[in-house]
Amino acid sequence: MQISNTMFEYSKNEIISLTIAFIVLSISFSISSVGLNAHGFISILPIVMIGVGLGFMLREIGQKFVAMKHGCEAEFRAWPIGLLIAFASSFIGMVFAFPGEVKVYSDNITDELNGRIGIAGPMANMFLALIFIVIASLVYVLTPHSQIFNLMFLICTVGFSVNSFLAAFNLIPVYTLDGIKVLKWSFKIWIVVFAIAVIMMLSSITIGAENMVMMFVG
């Protein structure tokens, strides 16, 4: 069974893997935010699902797009052990996200192509994080007057934090993460992108996305 459009083909196994990884990551980031508070978990889960869902899917689609653009077959494969690590680590308030990776099938894949495919994921997360913080800044002044805008603001600030973290984490140069692929391709590109991602992540942790918006809008 194949589900396809003009650019992509998704196998049934790939769709199942993406769905499982999305659910586990959403639950993990929710637990890391509110712990075992049932009411807090139920409240924040839908919000986290938007931030994680968009970030996770855009990351995988970006990498698949780059691979297919260069004539390679590519398929996302979930890593069960990595998903278990993500879930278990959420109870200490920090998600170590190893959901899986886009497997690229090619006889002649170079370090450069592998690096370009790898960096597409974190770049997608960083781009989405910036979109979230811009939208949050635009709707901030309207939050006192509308519950809808207040919800949008909350979704966007969470989205910025989650996607900044995903970008920085996935650029760590260790096995299964994108960072090792980018580093093998170009140290200069890796260090620049990694530094920007880390700054974004640390800003969300130390300053907070809400306070960042307040600083932007004055």
Side-chain angles (χ1 to χ4, degrees), residues 189-208:
I189 292 176
W190 171 78
I191 194 66
V192 170
V193 178
F194 184 53
I196 295 172
V198 168
I199 290 172
M200 291 172 64
M201 180 189 70
L202 292 178
S203 296
S204 72
I205 294 174
T206 59
I207 301 174

Side-chain angles (χ1 to χ4, degrees), residues 21-53 86-97 158 161-162 165-166:
F22 162 64
I23 292 172
V24 173
L25 286 179
S26 296
I27 292 173
S28 299
F29 276 102
S30 297
I31 292 175
S32 71
S33 299
V34 299
L36 297 178
N37 183 311
H39 177 73
F41 176 82
I42 294 172
S43 299
I44 201 171
L45 180 60
I47 295 170
V48 171
M49 289 179 77
I50 295 176
V52 172
F87 178 71
S89 64
S90 67
F91 291 95
I92 63 173
M94 176 68 74
V95 179
F96 295 98
V158 171
S161 299
V162 169
F165 173 80
L166 288 174

Side-chain angles (χ1 to χ4, degrees), residues 2-10 61 64-65 68:
Q2 297 283 328
I3 297 176
S4 62
N5 54 32
T6 57
M7 198 61 205
F8 299 104
E9 291 185 351
Y10 296 98
I61 290 173
K64 189 178 179 80
F65 175 83
M68 295 182 68

Side-chain angles (χ1 to χ4, degrees), residues 33-215:
S33 299
V34 299
L36 297 178
N37 183 311
H39 177 73
F41 176 82
I42 294 172
S43 299
I44 201 171
L45 180 60
I47 295 170
V48 171
M49 289 179 77
I50 295 176
V52 172
L54 287 175
F56 173 65
M57 296 303 295
L58 191 61
R59 171 183 180 271
E60 306 309 331
I61 290 173
Q63 293 185 329
K64 189 178 179 80
F65 175 83
V66 173
M68 295 182 68
K69 182 179 179 182
H70 287 85
C72 303
E73 293 185 16
E75 182 180 38
F76 175 77
R77 295 283 185 87
W79 187 33
I81 295 176
L83 291 173
L84 181 60
I85 292 172
F87 178 71
S89 64
S90 67
F91 291 95
I92 63 173
M94 176 68 74
V95 179
F96 295 98
F98 300 95
E101 63 177 326
V102 173
K103 294 285 187 180
V104 180
Y105 304 98
S106 174
D107 295 330
N108 300 305
I109 188 167
T110 62
D111 284 342
E112 179 180 355
L113 177 54
N114 211 26
R116 289 182 182 277
I117 294 170
I119 203 171
M123 290 295 291
N125 287 132
M126 292 166 67
F127 178 71
L128 187 58
L130 292 176
I131 290 178
F132 273 130
I133 202 70
V134 168
I135 295 176
S137 299
L138 293 174
V139 303
Y140 174 68
V141 295
L142 302 173
T143 55
H145 311 291
S146 170
Q147 287 296 321
I148 294 177
F149 286 118
N150 191 56
L151 180 61
M152 286 179 60
F153 178 76
L154 182 58
I155 290 172
C156 288
T157 51
V158 171
F160 172 81
S161 299
V162 169
N163 280 278
S164 296
F165 173 80
L166 288 174
F169 183 81
N170 280 295
L171 281 168
I172 297 173
V174 297
Y175 176 70
T176 78
L177 297 183
D178 301 316
I180 192 67
K181 302 172 185 176
V182 181
L183 184 60
K184 287 182 178 179
W185 165 39
S186 171
F187 173 78
K188 291 182 179 179
I189 292 176
W190 171 78
I191 194 66
V192 170
V193 178
F194 184 53
I196 295 172
V198 168
I199 290 172
M200 291 172 64
M201 180 189 70
L202 292 178
S203 296
S204 72
I205 294 174
T206 59
I207 301 174
E210 296 88 350
N211 291 329
M212 290 174 63
V213 169
M214 294 177 191
M215 291 167 59

